[in-house]
Amino acid sequence: MRQTTEHVRRTTAERGLKKVTLATSSETGSWADARSTGHGRRGHVWLGMRWLHPRHTNHLPAVLEHELAHLQRRDTGKRITAESAAVAVAGLAAGLLPLPAFALTAAAAWTLNTMYFWWGELACDLAAARVCGRAAVADMWREDLDRDRARSVLPRIWVTVRGLRTHPPLRLRILCAEHVPLPDARERAVHPLHTPAAS
C-alpha cells in the first residue's frame, strides 16, 4: 500500500490533479471492488483488499490506472449530470406524453445513459492499457470472467444484470483492450507497481 500511495502522490500533478487519497476495505462484500470519486482536481480511490493480496497484485497497476483515469476525466460530475438529465427527460415525458411515447422516451434515456457509462468505462480501460499494456488489462478482465464462471447460475445472472447498467460486459472490455488502437501509448516497459503473478 505504501508503494501504491507513493506512486499516486508522485504522478498526481502530471495527471492534472491536485490531490488523490487512497483507502482500502477488508469487508467481505468489497473484497474485489475498486471505485473512485472526484470533485474538481481532487479525488479519492477506494480499493478492495483483493488488489493488495499477493495472488492479485499483478493486476493492481491496471486497476489503479483505470480508477485514476476516471478522476482525470472528471467522470463523477459527468455521471451525475448524465443521470440527472435522464431522470429529467423521463419525468417530463411522464407528464407530457401518452403512455407508449413515455415508455419509448424513458427506454431511450436509460439506453443512452447506459451507453454513456459504458463509453467512460471503456475509455478508462484504454487509458490503463496505454500505461500498463494491453495484456495487463485484458488479463485482469479475463480473471474476472473466470471468477464469474465459477459462480452458480442465479448469482451470476444477478451480478451480470445489475452491473450492465453502469459497466460493459467483460467480453467487450477484453475485446476493446486487445484491439482498439492506442495512438498515444507510453513507452514504459514495466509499470512501477508491477509484480509478477503469484502461482
Side-chain angles (χ1 to χ4, degrees):
M1 187 63 181
R2 191 179 306 125
Q3 288 176 301
T4 305
T5 304
E6 179 58 29
H7 171 71
V8 170
R9 188 193 63 74
R10 208 172 42 244
T11 61
T12 293
E14 70 186 50
R15 297 171 191 280
L17 300 167
K18 187 173 183 180
K19 183 177 182 180
V20 177
T21 55
L22 294 172
T24 60
S25 174
S26 59
E27 294 176 17
T28 306
S30 62
W31 168 254
D33 279 353
R35 287 179 266 171
S36 58
T37 185
H39 178 69
R41 294 178 58 217
R42 295 176 180 270
H44 179 73
V45 176
W46 186 83
L47 299 169
M49 290 301 290
R50 173 190 187 200
W51 308 112
L52 302 172
H53 188 279
R55 198 180 310 156
H56 303 287
T57 52
N58 59 314
H59 298 308
L60 176 62
V63 169
L64 184 63
E65 293 300 336
H66 175 96
E67 296 304 329
L68 291 172
H70 277 304
L71 296 177
Q72 280 181 271
R73 289 170 36 87
R74 314 289 198 265
D75 278 343
T76 302
K78 291 177 182 177
R79 285 182 166 194
I80 291 170
T81 302
E83 285 190 319
S84 298
V87 169
V89 166
L92 287 170
L96 300 173
L97 300 174
L99 185 58
F102 157 69
L104 187 61
T105 304
W110 181 85
T111 301
L112 288 172
N113 197 49
T114 298
M115 292 297 108
Y116 181 75
F117 276 32
W118 286 18
W119 176 72
E121 290 297 325
L122 293 173
C124 291
D125 284 352
L126 294 177
R130 279 192 291 274
V131 177
C132 302
R134 293 178 182 277
V137 176
D139 289 347
M140 175 179 68
W141 296 130
R142 275 198 189 89
E143 186 174 296
D144 274 8
L145 195 58
D146 291 341
R147 194 166 46 110
D148 283 351
R149 287 184 186 134
R151 291 186 175 125
S152 57
V153 176
L154 287 177
R156 188 187 327 163
I157 291 171
W158 168 248
V159 167
T160 301
V161 170
R162 190 183 65 179
L164 283 177
R165 192 181 77 73
T166 56
H167 291 78
L170 291 172
R171 285 184 180 86
L172 177 61
R173 297 181 91 160
I174 293 166
L175 186 70
C176 287
E178 290 180 332
H179 300 292
V180 171
L182 302 173
D184 57 341
R186 297 182 188 176
E187 294 296 327
R188 183 181 292 173
V190 178
H191 191 277
L193 298 176
H194 175 75
T195 55
S199 56

